[in-house]
Amino acid sequence: MSEADKSFPTAAQLDGELKRVKNRREFWRLLYSTVASLVVVAALAVLVSTLFLPVLRVTGTSMTPTLENDQLVVCRKTGSFEQGDIIAFYYNNKILLKRVIAVAGDVVDIDADGTVYVNDEKLDEPYVDELAFGECDIELPYQVPDERVFVMGDHRETSIDSRNTSIGCVSEESVVGRVVFRVSPFKDIGFLD
């Protein structure tokens, strides 16, 4: 073989180089499509969680024992609420979680020992460990205004809620949604009643 023949690549070398270039192109094409797919899925997840199923972190102890500090919960956007529902709502650029006690038109009364009556019927509240009158500066009995809900925390002694004029009844338009599912901690995952 002459010196000139050694400088030209062989057919096998050319085939090998061609495969390497094709593999590189295929790798970048696959990487691009994977990243694009992940971006679309992430965008859809953010959109769904923002518009339909917001995920929230519980802060504070006003909903103990039902919800503990630092648990994650999922809300479902809905426009109708019933007595006993746990809702998330905006208050002073924060999101608070409380339980619906009464809806528009209902009359709420609370005894000195913390027993709650709605429309002269005593509420059965198995979710409350200890009754307490709490921080109440509203005049009782209290009729819930139109398009508002009366809410209270499950930990009645420490909860600041509709019993206090600083929060008052919650307008339906400020409600983020109804809390339906606990995501964490792992041992407590499940639907909320």
Side-chain angles (χ1 to χ4, degrees), residues 74-90:
V74 176
C75 290
R76 191 181 97 218
K77 297 261 185 170
T78 181
S80 62
F81 312 104
E82 297 177 3
Q83 188 179 76
D85 288 346
I86 299 172
I87 62 169
F89 60 94
Y90 292 105

Side-chain angles (χ1 to χ4, degrees), residues 63-66 68 125-132 153-156:
M63 284 301 293
T64 57
T66 307
E68 300 289 335
E125 299 184 290
Y127 42 80
V128 176
D129 278 350
E130 189 177 327
L131 295 176
D154 290 355
H155 191 216
R156 299 287 163 80

Side-chain angles (χ1 to χ4, degrees), residues 90-164:
Y90 292 105
Y91 173 73
N92 283 349
N93 295 323
K94 293 183 199 173
I95 295 180
L96 301 180
L97 304 175
K98 304 289 181 190
R99 189 176 298 273
V100 174
I101 300 300
V103 295
D106 288 344
V107 176
V108 177
D109 200 2
I110 306 170
D111 282 350
D113 68 351
T115 303
V116 179
Y117 296 87
V118 176
N119 300 326
D120 294 325
E121 290 186 32
K122 179 182 173 186
L123 282 187
D124 178 30
E125 299 184 290
Y127 42 80
V128 176
D129 278 350
E130 189 177 327
L131 295 176
F133 191 71
E135 288 195 38
C136 182
D137 64 0
I138 62 171
E139 189 175 323
L140 296 169
Y142 179 84
Q143 185 169 18
V144 181
D146 288 342
E147 298 180 14
R148 302 215 174 247
V149 291
F150 190 95
V151 296
M152 293 172 71
D154 290 355
H155 191 216
R156 299 287 163 80
E157 191 171 347
T158 62
S159 179
I160 306 296
D161 45 44
S162 293
R163 296 173 290 176
N164 193 295

Side-chain angles (χ1 to χ4, degrees), residues 1-60:
M1 204 181 251
S2 70
E3 194 65 36
D5 290 336
K6 289 182 183 177
S7 65
F8 290 108
T10 65
Q13 289 173 329
L14 287 174
D15 282 343
E17 184 64 19
L18 186 59
K19 284 180 184 177
R20 189 181 67 77
V21 170
K22 281 184 180 180
N23 285 342
R24 179 181 280 170
R25 282 186 190 149
E26 190 62 34
F27 169 77
W28 286 111
R29 193 174 308 140
L30 181 64
L31 181 64
Y32 175 78
S33 69
T34 302
V35 169
S37 297
L38 289 175
V39 167
V40 168
V41 168
L44 286 174
V46 167
L47 187 65
V48 166
S49 75
T50 303
L51 296 178
F52 305 110
L53 297 169
V55 176
L56 306 171
R57 180 177 300 279
V58 177
T59 56

